[in-house]
């Protein structure tokens, strides 16, 4: 196959496989260009993928870069889960490099028609991981770079939501009003990276947990029935666990190889089902069956530089499931195999495509795929 045919082949493959994709939490998608395949195992100084600051904010590209990435997630997988609509996520990243300083911003915009919040009773469970792919996400970062050491700070933003609905049937005309409030919540992550003399590097990053809650308030007055209705409930619709990650990268004759291990404190996760806090009716809360446990996951990756303009990435990882009682495909340990390809065009344009297969020990599997475009300023 000719070199200029790889881009066409990869784009056609994305289109062909898009109907067989499945959902995963945003922080485990490793959004970006080649980052979804490398899975934060390699932090080399030669890369221009700005999305790597989401894995460790101490890393930064050598030059100022703007990038856009599209990922496809969310679909029916065998008969283990109900059919889900596809989620198409667009992510944007801008990184500015000024001498020893780096700073930038990141955003994710869901482009599908899925609801922001999807909860259910004990019989109508929804995946707590699926909700994360429906969120609008923002983050800012700043980093300081020395000859061997780099340190960085990441500031992601989450949103609490409050929905209020009121109806009054006591008047001739129905009086109704609905309001929605979004309140931003700030979290943080820190990272450090140390470069050895031979091109190897060691990095350590910490990300504080973040929880976003939704509150629903409904009030209604129905005089003909002598009935006043009141309902108020809370639900945790987005959760990112506290995480600690250690990685090591080594420079080789063909490029780089690296490995990382990550600890995720999922035991602080609260049930995603609605918890009734006040009601004029006799309602029974769903039993909290979303109990989670702390989990580890690890990955090894290879970054192969075929030529100055072409790169391949391969990785294999294993992830423990934090859930054991939820009837979805996420209550299973899984093996993750990934591949990505990147081509640098004349004029500092770069096109990347990535694929990752998740093989679950319950005998099922699903796929995540996407592509990205970046430009070095």
């Amino acid at each position: 196959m000719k070199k200029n045919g790889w881009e066409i082949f990869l784009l056609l493959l994305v289109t062909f496989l898009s109907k067989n994709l499945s959902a995963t939490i945003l922080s485990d998608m490793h959004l970006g260009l080649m980052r979804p395949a490398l899975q934060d195992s390699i932090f080399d100084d030669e890369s221009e993928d700005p999305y790597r600051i989401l894995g460790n904010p101490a890393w930064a590209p050598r030059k100022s870069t703007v990038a856009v990435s599209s990922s496809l997630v969310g679909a029916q997988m065998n008969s283990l889960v109900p059919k889900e609509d596809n989620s198409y996520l667009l992510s944007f990243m801008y990184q500015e490099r000024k001498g020893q300083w780096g700073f930038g911003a990141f955003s994710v915009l869901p482009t599908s028609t899925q609801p922001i919040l999807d909860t259910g009773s004990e019989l109508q469970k929804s995946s707590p991981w699926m909700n994360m792919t429906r969120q609008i996400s923002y983050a800012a970062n700043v980093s300081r770079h020395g000859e061997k050491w780099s340190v960085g700070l990441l500031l992601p933003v989450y949103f609490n939501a409050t929905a209020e609905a009121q109806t009054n049937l006591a008047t001739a005309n129905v009086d109704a009003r609905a309001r929605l409030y979004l309140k931003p919540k700030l979290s943080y992550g820190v990272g450090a990276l140390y470069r050895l003399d031979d091109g190897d590097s060691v990095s350590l990053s910490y990300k504080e947990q973040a929880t976003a809650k939704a509150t629903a308030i409904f009030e209604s007055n129905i005089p003909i029935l002598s009935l006043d209705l009141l309902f108020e409930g809370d639900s945790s619709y987005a959760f990112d666990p506290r995480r600690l990650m250690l990685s090591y990268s080594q420079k080789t004759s063909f490029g780089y190889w690296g490995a990382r291990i990550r600890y995720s404190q999922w035991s602080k996760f609260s049930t995603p089902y609605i918890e009734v806090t006040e009601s004029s009716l006799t309602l029974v809360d769903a039993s909290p069956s979303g109990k989670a446990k702390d989990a580890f996951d690890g990955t090894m990756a290879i970054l192969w530089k075929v030529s100055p303009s072409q790169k391949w990435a391969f990785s294999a990882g294993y992830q423990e499931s934090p859930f054991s009682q939820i009837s979805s495909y996420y209550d299973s340990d899984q093996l993750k195999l990934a591949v990505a390809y990147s081509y640098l065009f004349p004029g500092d344009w770069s096109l990347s495509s990535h694929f990752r297969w998740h093989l679950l020990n319950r005998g099922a599997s699903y796929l995540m795929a996407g592509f990205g475009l970046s430009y070095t300023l």
Side-chain angles (χ1 to χ4, degrees):
M1 181 178 293
K2 296 181 180 180
K3 290 184 178 179
N4 58 9
W6 279 109
E7 297 81 36
I8 299 175
F9 168 75
L10 291 171
L11 290 175
L12 289 175
L13 189 57
V14 170
T15 304
F16 174 76
L17 294 174
S18 62
K19 294 183 178 180
N20 299 314
L21 304 175
S22 196
T24 185
I25 195 171
L26 277 180
S27 57
D28 288 329
M29 284 179 61
H30 301 94
L31 291 168
L33 306 179
M34 298 192 79
R35 181 174 175 249
L38 292 173
Q39 301 184 63
D40 291 334
S41 295
I42 298 177
F43 291 95
D44 63 287
D45 284 336
E46 300 178 29
S47 173
E48 301 297 343
D49 189 342
Y51 290 92
R52 296 196 189 180
I53 65 101
L54 297 174
N56 189 334
W59 182 88
R62 292 175 298 171
K63 300 179 181 179
S64 299
T65 307
V66 60
V68 58
S69 177
S70 176
S71 299
L72 302 100
V73 294
Q76 185 178 12
M77 186 187 69
N78 300 336
S79 59
L80 295 180
V81 294
K83 179 176 173 54
E84 299 274 9
D85 293 332
N86 285 338
S87 287
Y88 298 92
L89 298 175
L90 283 176
S91 57
F92 301 89
M93 172 71 79
Y94 172 74
Q95 286 294 303
E96 183 75 20
R97 185 68 184 265
K98 295 291 185 180
Q100 295 180 321
W101 289 92
F103 53 91
F106 164 82
S107 66
V108 172
L109 300 175
T111 60
S112 65
T113 57
Q114 291 180 321
I116 291 178
L117 176 62
D118 182 11
T119 64
S121 66
E122 184 67 14
L123 298 177
Q124 296 291 331
K125 298 176 182 177
S126 62
S127 168
W129 290 35
M130 187 62 193
N131 288 327
M132 284 295 292
T133 66
R134 298 165 177 152
Q135 308 313 312
I136 300 176
S137 301
Y138 302 95
N141 69 285
V142 61
S143 56
R144 179 70 162 82
H145 303 269
E147 183 178 350
K148 289 191 174 183
W149 281 96
S150 295
V151 292
L153 172 67
L154 182 69
L155 298 172
V157 180
Y158 298 80
F159 295 91
N160 279 344
T162 301
E164 298 181 0
Q166 297 174 323
T167 61
N168 188 348
L169 302 181
T171 60
N173 297 320
V174 176
D175 183 15
R177 187 176 188 180
R179 290 168 291 184
L180 174 65
Y181 303 93
L182 293 177
K183 183 178 180 181
K185 292 180 59 179
L186 197 64
S187 185
Y188 71 92
V190 294
L193 190 149
Y194 180 71
R195 300 170 181 84
L196 305 176
D197 294 332
D198 53 3
D200 302 350
S201 65
V202 179
S203 65
L204 180 67
S205 63
Y206 169 85
K207 184 179 178 300
E208 178 58 14
Q209 76 175 33
T211 302
K213 290 188 175 182
T215 300
I217 303 173
F218 174 74
E219 297 179 83
S220 181
N221 174 255
I222 309 176
I224 193 173
L225 299 177
S226 301
L227 184 63
D228 291 324
L229 297 178
L230 171 64
F231 169 84
E232 182 172 344
D234 293 325
S235 178
S236 174
Y237 73 92
F239 178 79
D240 229 350
R242 182 177 289 113
R243 282 176 158 158
L244 183 66
M245 185 176 71
L246 175 66
S247 67
Y248 171 77
S249 302
Q250 184 179 75
K251 191 172 184 179
T252 67
S253 58
F254 58 80
Y256 288 85
W257 79 269
R260 60 98 172 158
I261 186 171
R262 183 177 63 174
Y263 164 79
S264 301
Q265 194 180 33
W266 279 99
S267 58
K268 299 296 183 180
F269 174 80
S270 59
T271 174
Y273 312 121
I274 292 179
E275 178 183 355
V276 179
T277 56
E278 188 174 354
S279 176
S280 60
L281 302 175
T282 302
L283 299 175
V284 179
D285 293 348
S287 301
S289 59
K291 183 64 177 176
K293 64 179 181 179
D294 297 342
F296 285 89
D297 64 283
T299 305
M300 295 186 65
I302 294 174
L303 182 61
W304 178 29
K305 298 179 63 178
V306 181
S307 68
S309 61
Q310 297 186 77
K311 294 180 181 179
W312 283 93
F314 306 92
S315 67
Y318 187 80
Q319 179 173 304
E320 287 185 317
S321 171
F323 301 103
S324 60
Q325 302 178 23
I326 296 180
S327 298
S328 87
Y329 43 88
Y330 293 110
D331 58 355
S332 176
D333 298 345
Q334 55 189 276
L335 175 66
K336 298 183 290 186
L337 304 175
V339 60
Y341 173 78
S342 177
Y343 187 86
L344 178 63
F345 293 91
D348 293 325
W349 287 94
S350 177
L351 177 67
S352 302
S353 293
H354 54 263
F355 308 90
R356 197 164 77 226
W357 289 266
H358 293 236
L359 308 174
L360 283 67
N361 63 8
R362 291 177 60 183
S365 64
Y366 66 92
L367 176 70
M368 168 197 155
F371 62 93
L373 185 68
S374 69
Y375 178 69
T376 301
L377 303 177

